[in-house]
Amino acid sequence: MQLKIMPKKKHLSAGGVPLILFLCQMISALDVPLDPKLLHDLVQPPTITQQSPKDYIIDPRENIVIQCEAKGKPPPSFSWTRNGTHFDIDKDPLVTMKPGSGTLVINIMSEGKAETYEGVYQCTARNERGAAVSNNIVVRPSRSPLWTKERLEPIVLQNGQSLVLPCRPPIGLPPAIIFWMDNSFQRLPQSERVSQGLNGDLYFSNVLPEDTREDYICYARFNHTQTIQQKQPISLKVISVDELNDTIAANLSDTEFYGAKSSKERPPTFLTPEGNESHKEELRGNVLSLECIAEGLPTPIIYWIKEDGMLPANRTFYRNFKKTLQITHVSEADSGNYQCIAKNALGAVHHTISVTVKAAPYWIVAPQNLVLSPGENGTLICRANGNPKPRISWLTNGVPIEIALDDPSRKIDGDTIIFSNVQESSSAVYQCNASNKYGYLLANAFVNVLAEPPRILTSANTLYQVIANRPALLDCAFFGSPMPTIEWFKGTKGSALHEDIYVLHDNGTLEIPVAQKDSTGTYTCVARNKLGMAKNEVHLEIKDPTRIIKQPEYAVVQRGSKVSFECRVKHDHTLIPTIMWLKDNGELPNDERFSTDKDHLVVSDVKDDDGGTYTCTANTTLDSASASAVLRVVAPTPTPAPIYDVPNPPFDLELTNQLDKSVQLTWTPGDDNNSPITKFIIEYEDAMHDAGLWRHQAEVSGTQTTAQLKLSPYVNYSFRVMAENSIGRSMPSEASEQYLTKAAEPDQNPMAVEGLGTEPDNLVITWKPLNGFQSNGPGLQYKVSWRQKDGDDEWTSVVVANVSKYIVSGTPTFVPYLIKVQALNDVGFAPEPAAVMGHSGEDLPMVAPGNVRVSVVNSTLAEVHWDPVPPKSVRGHLQGYRIYYWKTQSSSKRNRRHIEKKILTFQGTKTHGMLPGLQPYSHYALNVRVVNGKGEGPASTDRGFHTPEGVPSAPSSLKIVNPTLDSLTLEWDPPSHPNGILTEYILQYQPINSTHELGPLVDLKIPANKTRWTLKNLNFSTRYKFYFYAQTSVGPGSQITEEAITTVDEAGIPPPDVGAGKAMASRQVDIATQGWFIGLMCAVALLILILLIVCFIRRNKGGKYPVKEKEDAHADPEIQPMKEDDGTFGEYSDAEDHKPLKKGSRTPSDRTVKKEDSDDSLVDYGEGVNGQFNEDGSFIGQYSGKKEKEPAEGNESSEAPSPVNAMNSFV
C-alpha cells in the first residue's frame, strides 16, 4: 500500500495515526482512548497495566521493587495489602512508592533484611469509577544454602558393578541446577553407561577401571544469586579382574578350570524408579519429564512407548541418552501409561509410569471491558477450565460481590454477569477469580457507562494521494457512546457508498481496492448515535505511476575504456522524482571517474574493480521504480592464465538401441576446465524398486561419449553420467529418460536354504528371499520341494508367496531330508536349484546309557564310565551325556541331610568323566542320561558308591573354662565334618612368658568320645597356648588354637590379659628401686629388642615355628599334589599359617574360637550352568542345580581354605 497524507488545514499529532488505528475497533471491547482531545471530559475506571509476577523471588542483595502500574481518568491512587492486611508504607522509612505509580521500592541495601519483607502483597488502583486489584504477589528472597558437612568414605567396587553417587543438594530458592565436575572444573563425561538423573545423582550402569578417580564433585548452581556450592569430593576405586586374579592365581593348576570374569554379565534392573510401576502427575502446559535409569552388563539401552497410543511426534524429545522422555505443552490427552524398557543381550525389564495431567485454571473466555451508554445492556463473561474444574467467583472494586453494594442493573448467572438498563452509577471494575488446587486466574474488567455524542478524531480535510491501480485507505477514527454508526459519501450530493465497490471496515476506514483516475474527489465520513451526529471531509488524488522507459543495458568493456548507462524515467507531472545510482546495492565509489547527469551514468578509465551490478532508482514521494545492468570488465591483452578445475557435468543424455537386456547411452561432455577428462562414470537408478538410490553401472574412457549398457529384466532404469579428470569428479548430469525393461523369469534362486524341525513331527524350511531387483518380473513366488534323503519317495512340492519360510507337518522324527527352493514369477521359473540337506524335528532320547561303572580315585574324586546308546535311539543331534549325582547319607550314619542333586554335562560322544568335590566317607548315588537338542532321555539305573575316609575338619569350637592356680579345663565341640571315624584328639600346649617366648611343647592324646578335659599341675599366673585337632585313621585334621592364663591366687579370679605384667611388678616392689635391678632391666629390654628384630627378619623370610614344622611333617594326604593326567588338583599352600609364635594373637572376649563349615564342592557356588569336563576328566564348566547352604556353626575358622572355595568366593 502506497499513500500520501498531505494536511491542508489541520495536521495530525505525532501520536494521532497509531491512536486512530487503535480506536477504530469495537468500542465495547476496548478501553476509552486517552486522546488529549477527550481527556478533559471523559472518565475511565482504573486498569492494571503492569505488575510483578505471582511468585516473585528477589535477590536479597538488592533493593526490593514490587511493580504496580495502572491507567485511568482521573489518574488512580494506589494502596497495598500485605498478608491480607493494610500495608501502611508511611510508617516504614525503608519503603517508598514511586510518584504517579503504585510501584514499591524497599531500600534494604542501606539497612534491613529481605526476610523481613517476605509475604503476600496485593496492589489496589482506585479512582471515582472503581478499583482494580493486582494478583497476589508472593515475595520471597532467594536462598543458596551451603552443603552440610559430611564425611564421605571412599568407595571400592569390583569392575562391572552398578553404582549411584548421591548429590542431595541443599534446598534453595529457586531450586539449584546440578552438575558434576572434577577438581579442575571440567564436566565429567557422561554416556549411556554413566549419566546424571533428574534428582542430581550420578548413575553408573556398570563401573569400569577408568572410572577410578578421587574427585567426583557435585555442584549446585543458584542462578538467582549467581552462586555455586560444592559437595565434598567422592573417591571411587574400581578393582579390575587382574587385581582379583592375582590373589588366587598361585593356587590354580588349570587356568581354564578357574576361568573367572570381572563381574558376571547380567540382565538389566532399574536403579530408578523402583518397582514395576510408579505414578507421575504434571500440570497442563508444562514439560512432562519421565526418567528410567537401569543397571546391567552389558550396558542396557532404554526404549519408550505409550500404551494404547502413540507418542506425540512434534512434542516428544529424548534427553540424557534416551533415559529421559520429555513431552512439551502437555494436555489431558497425554495422560495414560508410559512404559520404559531397558534391554541388553541378556534380557529386558519393564517399568510402567502412570501419568495424570492436571490443569491449573486457564481462560476459555476472559472478561473484556465494557463501554456502555445509559439504558444499554451488556454482559461480562468469565469462562475458565482446568482439572479439577475451577471455581468462579466475582468481586466488584476488589470486594466479593456477595457483600458489595447491591446494583439493580446487574444479575449474576454463574460465570456471567448480565447488565440491563445501566446508569452512570453502574460504572465499576469487576474482578473474576477462577481457582482450583493448582492455581488461580484473576482478571479485571471494567464497566464504564458514558453518554457521549459522536466525535470524529481524524483531522478534517486530510489529503490522500495514491498511485493509480493501487488500494486507497481513507481513515475515519471516531468515538461515541452509544457506539456510532459510520457512513461514507462521495461529493456534495452523492448517496451513501455501498460495499459492492468499496470496503467499509469496522474501524470506520473506507477502502477502495483499486483506485482509478475517476476515484479522485472529496469523501465525507458521517458518524451517528442517538445523542447526535458528526462528519468529516477528506480528499483523494490519484497519481500516475513512475516507470523506467529506457533501462540500462548489460555491458562488456575492456580495462581502461569508458562505459555509459542510460536510465530514462516517466512520472506523474505533479510529482518530482529523484534519480539515484547504486553499485552492488551500495553507494557509488567516491571517485571523479564516475559522473551522472539527468539520465546517464558514465564511468571513465574502467578498472577491474568497477565490474558489478549498477542499479538506477527513481523515487517520488509516493512510489519508486528501479532497473539494473551488469558491467563486466575484461583485459585488452592476451587471454588470462587458464583456470584448472573439475569438469563441468555432461549433458544431453540420450537412450538409443533399446533392447530387452541392453541399451546404448549417449551424452555430450561438459567443459574439461583445462584438464583432460580421463573417464566417465555411469550410474543407474531403479525407480520401481529403489527410487532415489543411485548405483554404479559402468565406467568408460574419457574419449568415449557412448556406452552399451547391460540391463536386468523388469527394472525402470534412469541413468546419469559424471566426468573425472586429474582434479576430481564433476557433479552428476541431469538424469536420462526412464526405460522400463521387459520382465523375464528369475535367473537365480534364493540363498541360505535350511531345513530344521522345531517339533518332532515337522520340518521348517527357511531361505533368504530375492529382492525386487533380482525378481526379474512381477508375481515373485517360490516353489518349495522336499523328500526323505534315504527313501524312494517322490519330491513333494508347493508354491508359496514371496515369504521366507514354509513348515512341513507330519514328518517322522529326526529324519534327513533333501530340500530345494526355486524362484518363479509371472514369466517362468528360475534354473533348477541344488538340493540341500536338513532334518525334521528332534524328540527326546529313548534309551538310557548302560553298564554304568564308578571307580573311586580318592576321598573327593571319582571316575564314571558308561556305554554309549545306539545312535538311532538318540532321535536327534547328540549333544553329550549328563550325570546326576547326590549324597545319600554319611557312612557313619550320623550326618543325615538331604542334598539337591548335582549335574555335570560331558560334550559329544565321551563315555567317561570325573566327579570332583566329593565329601569323604560318604555314600553317593548317580545315574547317567543322554542329551540331544530336544532334552534329556531316561535315566540309567542308580549306581551307588562310597568315598573313603579323609582327615577331619577342625573342632567346631574350643573354650577354656574354670581356670585355677594350677589347672585349666578345656571344652570343645566335635568337628562339623569328621570325614570318617574319629580315633582320638591331639592336644599340644606350651607356656608363654612375658616376652612372648615359648616354652617346651607338650603332646597329649585324648579319647575320641571326650568333649572336656582338665589339665593339672600347671604353673600359676602363666599364659599357655593350646593347639587342638582331631584325627581319623587317615591322619590329623586342621587345628584350632586358644590361649589362657592360670590364676594368681587360690581365689580363682583370672587377671586381665594385659595385667599379668603388673601383677608380677607388684610382688617385686621392694627391689624395684634398687640400682642394680634397674641396670639389669635395661639390659633385658635391649636383648628383647634385638630378639624382636631377629624374629621380624626371620618371619619376612618365611621362617616357620616349631609347631608349624611339625604340622608339615604330618602332611594331610588328602591335599597332596595330584598328577595332571588324572584330572585332580595340584599343590596349594595355606594362605594364613597358624604359627604358634605369632606375636600378639589374642582370643575373642568370650574366649571361644568358631569356624565356618568347610565347603565340600564347587556346587555350593553354582548358578545353574551345567559343568563340563574334558576327555581326561578335567573340569571345564560349572555345576548346575542348587544346594541348600548348611547353617554356619562358627564365626571363624582356622582351617586352611580349599583352593576350590577360594576361587568361588571371588566369582
Side-chain angles (χ1 to χ4, degrees):
M1 177 182 69
Q2 300 285 339
L3 53 86
K4 176 67 175 178
I5 300 177
M6 297 180 63
K8 283 188 176 180
K9 295 183 179 180
K10 294 185 179 181
H11 296 270
L12 291 177
S13 66
V17 173
L19 177 62
I20 292 170
L21 298 177
F22 178 69
L23 281 172
C24 296
Q25 300 180 27
M26 294 294 291
I27 296 300
S28 62
L30 291 176
D31 297 342
V32 175
L34 299 183
D35 185 85
K37 291 175 285 187
L38 301 175
L39 285 177
H40 66 284
D41 58 357
L42 289 184
V43 293
Q44 178 180 344
T47 301
I48 301 289
T49 59
Q50 190 173 0
Q51 58 184 313
S52 293
K54 293 179 181 178
D55 189 7
Y56 187 25
I57 300 175
I58 61 172
D59 189 337
R61 302 168 301 180
E62 299 178 356
N63 288 339
I64 304 172
V65 179
I66 310 176
Q67 291 186 327
C68 180
E69 303 290 342
K71 65 179 180 179
K73 180 63 180 179
S77 61
F78 297 89
S79 62
W80 285 87
T81 62
R82 178 184 173 195
N83 298 329
T85 60
H86 177 65
F87 183 35
D88 191 348
I89 63 176
D90 294 331
K91 293 184 178 180
D92 192 333
L94 300 182
V95 182
T96 58
M97 186 183 295
K98 290 185 177 180
S101 164
T103 298
L104 295 181
V105 178
I106 305 175
N107 184 11
I108 62 171
M109 295 183 66
S110 58
E111 58 179 309
K113 295 183 178 180
E115 292 77 6
T116 307
Y117 295 94
E118 189 171 353
V120 180
Y121 293 78
Q122 189 174 39
C123 169
T124 301
R126 187 184 308 273
N127 68 10
E128 63 187 35
R129 285 277 166 151
V133 297
S134 71
N135 293 321
N136 284 332
I137 302 170
V138 180
V139 176
R140 298 183 294 170
S142 63
R143 298 181 179 89
S144 53
L146 297 174
W147 247 291
T148 56
K149 294 294 184 181
E150 56 182 335
R151 178 179 179 85
L152 301 177
E153 297 294 335
I155 300 173
V156 180
L157 291 179
Q158 184 180 340
N159 184 15
Q161 290 182 287
S162 63
L163 174 64
V164 180
L165 294 183
C167 179
R168 293 194 285 271
I171 299 175
L173 184 69
I177 298 173
I178 305 301
F179 51 93
W180 288 80
M181 297 197 299
D182 58 16
N183 273 331
S184 303
F185 296 98
Q186 300 296 316
R187 283 188 180 269
L188 297 176
Q190 298 189 20
S191 62
E192 290 179 339
R193 186 179 62 84
V194 183
S195 61
Q196 177 182 318
L198 294 177
N199 64 352
D201 292 350
L202 192 62
Y203 292 84
F204 294 74
S205 293
N206 49 79
V207 295
L208 298 177
E210 54 261 33
D211 295 327
T212 298
R213 62 189 311 144
E214 296 181 351
D215 56 350
Y216 284 94
I217 305 175
C218 181
Y219 290 86
R221 184 174 67 209
F222 298 91
N223 283 344
H224 216 78
T225 56
Q226 297 297 311
T227 57
I228 296 178
Q229 307 291 359
Q230 171 184 336
K231 185 183 179 76
Q232 290 293 324
I234 301 175
S235 173
L236 170 63
K237 181 178 181 181
V238 179
I239 302 177
S240 66
V241 183
D242 294 336
E243 293 179 80
L244 292 176
N245 286 341
D246 286 345
T247 64
I248 59 173
N251 298 328
L252 310 183
S253 60
D254 187 341
T255 58
E256 185 176 349
F257 187 95
Y258 289 101
K261 296 182 179 179
S262 61
S263 182
K264 290 185 179 179
E265 293 186 346
R266 58 191 182 276
T269 58
F270 283 114
L271 296 172
T272 183
E274 297 179 351
N276 297 325
E277 297 179 352
S278 59
H279 181 74
K280 173 77 172 182
E281 186 176 282
E282 191 54 80
L283 291 183
R284 180 181 187 269
N286 288 355
V287 177
L288 172 66
S289 295
L290 304 179
E291 178 181 59
C292 282
I293 301 178
E295 66 91 16
L297 190 66
T299 301
I301 303 298
I302 304 296
Y303 303 90
W304 292 90
I305 60 172
K306 183 181 182 185
E307 298 178 2
D308 303 326
M310 298 290 291
L311 295 173
N314 298 325
R315 296 185 291 114
T316 300
F317 302 92
Y318 297 101
R319 312 292 186 200
N320 196 19
F321 308 97
K322 295 195 73 174
K323 299 175 188 178
T324 302
L325 170 69
Q326 287 188 342
I327 300 177
T328 59
H329 306 294
V330 293
S331 64
E332 288 82 348
D334 295 316
S335 296
N337 290 333
Y338 293 77
Q339 192 175 94
C340 62
I341 305 163
K343 183 183 296 184
N344 68 7
L346 277 70
V349 64
H350 304 72
H351 184 92
T352 300
I353 305 175
S354 176
V355 173
T356 302
V357 178
K358 300 293 185 179
Y362 57 92
W363 291 120
I364 302 298
V365 178
Q368 301 292 324
N369 295 333
L370 279 178
V371 178
L372 302 174
S373 61
E376 283 190 330
N377 303 328
T379 58
L380 282 180
I381 300 175
C382 176
R383 197 158 293 156
N385 202 356
N387 185 9
K389 186 76 175 178
R391 183 176 67 88
I392 303 295
S393 60
W394 289 95
L395 301 89
T396 177
N397 296 326
V399 178
I401 203 165
E402 295 82 6
I403 62 174
L405 293 176
D406 189 37
D407 184 352
S409 67
R410 72 172 179 243
K411 176 183 177 184
I412 302 173
D413 186 8
D415 59 8
T416 303
I417 301 181
I418 303 171
F419 296 92
S420 58
N421 192 25
V422 297
Q423 303 301 320
E424 286 197 27
S425 61
S426 303
S427 296
V429 182
Y430 290 85
Q431 290 82 35
C432 172
N433 186 313
S435 61
N436 65 13
K437 63 187 291 187
Y438 298 106
Y440 72 93
L441 293 173
L442 178 68
N444 290 277
F446 64 66
V447 175
N448 195 13
V449 181
L450 296 173
E452 293 292 330
R455 304 185 188 190
I456 304 295
L457 304 181
T458 300
S459 299
N461 297 313
T462 299
L463 174 63
Y464 295 90
Q465 295 179 330
V466 179
I467 298 298
N469 298 317
R470 297 185 181 181
L473 295 175
L474 309 182
D475 293 330
C476 181
F478 64 90
F479 176 76
S481 179
M483 188 173 68
T485 60
I486 303 297
E487 289 182 307
W488 280 91
F489 299 87
K490 183 181 179 184
T492 56
K493 297 181 180 180
S495 58
L497 304 179
H498 300 288
E499 293 194 0
D500 50 352
I501 300 176
Y502 303 92
V503 178
L504 300 178
H505 292 274
D506 292 339
N507 62 4
T509 298
L510 174 68
E511 179 181 354
I512 306 173
V514 182
Q516 304 291 339
K517 284 288 187 179
D518 57 3
S519 301
T520 299
T522 299
Y523 293 79
T524 303
C525 166
V526 178
R528 291 186 178 91
N529 69 10
K530 64 182 182 180
L531 299 178
M533 181 268 289
K535 64 180 181 179
N536 186 46
E537 290 184 350
V538 295
H539 307 283
L540 176 64
E541 293 181 354
I542 305 301
K543 304 295 183 179
D544 292 327
T546 302
R547 295 181 296 123
I548 297 177
I549 57 177
K550 177 63 176 177
Q551 299 184 1
E553 297 179 351
Y554 173 80
V556 179
V557 298
Q558 292 184 351
R559 189 185 309 120
S561 59
K562 182 169 66 174
V563 65
S564 176
F565 294 104
E566 183 179 8
C567 180
R568 192 169 298 169
V569 178
K570 183 178 181 180
H571 57 89
D572 191 280
H573 68 281
T574 62
L575 302 177
I576 301 174
T578 58
I579 307 299
M580 179 180 294
W581 287 92
L582 303 174
K583 179 180 183 297
D584 298 329
N585 294 323
E587 294 183 359
L588 291 176
N590 185 15
D591 193 328
E592 59 183 12
R593 295 182 299 106
F594 292 82
S595 60
T596 59
D597 57 20
K598 180 181 178 181
D599 298 325
H600 291 83
L601 167 65
V602 178
V603 183
S604 304
D605 189 16
V606 174
K607 299 181 179 179
D608 291 337
D609 293 342
D610 296 335
T613 301
Y614 290 84
T615 302
C616 163
T617 302
N619 295 305
T620 68
T621 54
L622 297 181
D623 66 346
S624 64
S626 63
S628 299
V630 174
L631 171 63
R632 182 181 176 192
V633 180
V634 297
T637 52
T639 322
I643 298 176
Y644 299 94
D645 202 353
V646 298
N648 292 344
F651 57 94
D652 195 19
L653 274 64
E654 183 179 3
L655 297 177
T656 58
N657 298 335
Q658 298 177 354
L659 303 176
D660 290 347
K661 292 190 177 182
S662 68
V663 71
Q664 181 172 289
L665 176 64
T666 305
W667 63 90
T668 301
D671 192 338
D672 64 7
N673 289 327
N674 302 305
S675 179
I677 296 173
T678 56
K679 64 180 177 180
F680 291 99
I681 298 95
I682 303 168
E683 295 181 334
Y684 75 91
E685 175 196 31
D686 180 3
M688 181 183 301
H689 303 110
D690 291 312
L693 180 62
W694 290 90
R695 291 187 171 91
H696 183 271
Q697 174 75 24
E699 292 183 6
V700 298
S701 167
T703 59
Q704 291 183 232
T705 57
T706 62
Q708 194 72 23
L709 306 177
K710 293 182 179 180
L711 307 180
S712 295
Y714 199 57
V715 176
N716 194 9
Y717 282 98
S718 294
F719 299 97
R720 69 183 188 185
V721 184
M722 292 174 287
E724 187 174 296
N725 63 9
S726 60
I727 307 300
R729 184 174 294 185
S730 73
M731 296 295 291
S733 68
E734 295 291 332
S736 70
E737 61 179 311
Q738 291 186 345
Y739 176 47
L740 177 62
T741 56
K742 292 182 179 180
E745 64 275 3
D747 52 17
Q748 57 182 305
N749 287 301
M751 304 294 289
V753 178
E754 291 182 352
L756 182 66
T758 58
E759 297 295 337
D761 60 348
N762 77 3
L763 172 66
V764 179
I765 303 173
T766 59
W767 60 91
K768 181 180 179 182
L770 302 180
N771 59 35
F773 186 83
Q774 296 168 329
S775 65
N776 285 4
L780 178 63
Q781 295 178 298
Y782 299 98
K783 178 184 176 182
V784 184
S785 305
W786 66 92
R787 71 175 178 85
Q788 290 190 23
K789 177 177 180 294
D790 299 327
D792 298 328
D793 298 342
E794 296 294 328
W795 287 92
T796 303
S797 300
V798 64
V799 176
V800 299
N802 186 13
V803 295
S804 61
K805 180 172 70 174
Y806 182 75
I807 300 176
V808 181
S809 301
T811 64
T813 302
F814 198 65
V815 173
Y817 275 84
L818 293 179
I819 301 165
K820 295 188 294 186
V821 180
Q822 185 178 21
L824 68 149
N825 59 21
D826 292 349
V827 179
F829 286 83
E832 184 70 20
V836 299
M837 192 175 77
H839 283 85
S840 57
E842 299 180 74
D843 205 347
L844 295 176
M846 296 187 298
V847 178
N851 193 21
V852 177
R853 288 109 47 209
V854 182
S855 59
V856 178
V857 178
N858 57 36
S859 61
T860 61
L861 183 68
E863 185 174 11
V864 184
H865 290 261
W866 60 89
D867 292 343
V869 300
K872 288 187 178 181
S873 69
V874 177
R875 298 202 293 179
H877 295 286
L878 176 63
Q879 292 189 354
Y881 291 87
R882 187 167 292 162
I883 299 178
Y884 285 77
Y885 66 101
W886 61 96
K887 187 170 70 172
T888 56
Q889 66 181 26
S890 171
S891 296
S892 64
K893 299 184 180 181
R894 289 184 300 174
N895 192 11
R896 300 172 180 266
R897 293 178 301 162
H898 173 70
I899 302 296
E900 294 284 345
K901 292 183 179 180
K902 306 169 188 177
I903 304 171
L904 285 176
T905 300
F906 298 88
Q907 299 282 355
T909 59
K910 289 187 295 186
T911 58
H912 70 281
M914 306 293 285
L915 301 182
L918 304 177
Q919 185 164 334
Y921 202 61
S922 299
H923 182 77
Y924 281 87
L926 61 81
N927 58 51
V928 186
R929 313 178 191 200
V930 66
V931 182
N932 65 10
K934 189 70 175 178
E936 298 177 352
S940 66
T941 303
D942 290 352
R943 181 73 61 187
F945 63 95
H946 293 267
T947 54
E949 282 190 277
V951 296
S953 62
S956 298
S957 67
L958 175 63
K959 294 188 291 185
I960 313 297
V961 299
N962 301 327
T964 66
L965 187 67
D966 62 349
S967 69
L968 292 172
T969 300
L970 284 72
E971 292 183 352
W972 63 88
D973 291 325
S976 58
H977 296 289
N979 295 337
I981 298 175
L982 298 182
T983 59
E984 60 187 359
Y985 291 101
I986 304 300
L987 173 63
Q988 298 174 317
Y989 62 95
Q990 58 189 155
I992 307 174
N993 64 17
S994 59
T995 61
H996 297 281
E997 293 178 346
L998 297 176
L1001 188 67
V1002 179
D1003 286 355
L1004 179 65
K1005 295 183 179 181
I1006 301 174
N1009 59 349
K1010 297 292 186 179
T1011 60
R1012 180 184 178 96
W1013 195 264
T1014 301
L1015 297 175
K1016 299 181 179 180
N1017 300 321
L1018 302 177
N1019 298 329
F1020 73 92
S1021 187
T1022 303
R1023 178 179 296 276
Y1024 286 88
K1025 185 162 187 176
F1026 300 91
Y1027 313 96
F1028 191 66
Y1029 54 90
Q1031 186 166 310
T1032 64
S1033 61
V1034 177
S1038 301
Q1039 68 180 10
I1040 185 170
T1041 64
E1042 181 59 287
E1043 293 183 12
I1045 304 175
T1046 56
T1047 58
V1048 176
D1049 51 37
E1050 295 300 325
I1053 301 174
D1057 290 350
V1058 296
K1062 292 182 179 179
M1064 291 291 293
S1066 64
R1067 299 176 64 179
Q1068 298 177 2
V1069 66
D1070 55 323
I1071 63 173
T1073 59
Q1074 303 300 315
W1076 64 268
F1077 179 78
I1078 295 174
L1080 177 62
M1081 290 297 101
C1082 290
V1084 170
L1086 180 60
L1087 290 175
I1088 291 173
L1089 178 61
I1090 295 172
L1091 178 62
L1092 290 176
I1093 294 173
V1094 173
C1095 291
F1096 179 79
I1097 295 173
R1098 289 192 59 199
R1099 181 176 180 180
N1100 285 347
K1101 290 183 177 181
K1104 297 185 178 180
Y1105 294 106
V1107 176
K1108 180 61 180 179
E1109 294 170 355
K1110 186 169 183 179
E1111 289 175 356
D1112 293 342
H1114 298 282
D1116 185 354
E1118 289 304 308
I1119 59 173
Q1120 293 305 310
M1122 295 186 180
K1123 298 179 181 179
E1124 293 182 0
D1125 57 1
D1126 64 2
T1128 55
F1129 301 107
E1131 180 178 295
Y1132 72 99
S1133 63
D1134 191 342
E1136 287 191 32
D1137 295 335
H1138 292 282
K1139 301 178 177 64
L1141 290 175
K1142 185 172 180 181
K1143 181 177 180 180
S1145 73
R1146 292 291 182 266
T1147 60
S1149 59
D1150 62 356
R1151 313 188 66 78
T1152 303
V1153 179
K1154 301 267 187 184
K1155 75 173 284 298
E1156 296 180 4
D1157 292 348
S1158 60
D1159 300 306
D1160 59 355
S1161 72
L1162 288 167
V1163 184
D1164 292 341
Y1165 298 89
E1167 294 193 2
V1169 180
N1170 291 343
Q1172 299 174 1
F1173 279 78
N1174 288 329
E1175 200 161 321
D1176 62 356
S1178 59
F1179 185 76
I1180 62 171
Q1182 291 179 318
Y1183 293 93
S1184 68
K1186 294 183 178 178
K1187 177 176 118 177
E1188 291 182 359
K1189 253 334 209 183
E1190 298 176 11
E1193 299 181 11
N1195 299 325
E1196 185 177 340
S1197 173
S1198 60
E1199 182 182 9
S1202 160
V1204 175
N1205 294 335
M1207 173 269 198
N1208 278 282
S1209 66
F1210 288 104
V1211 173

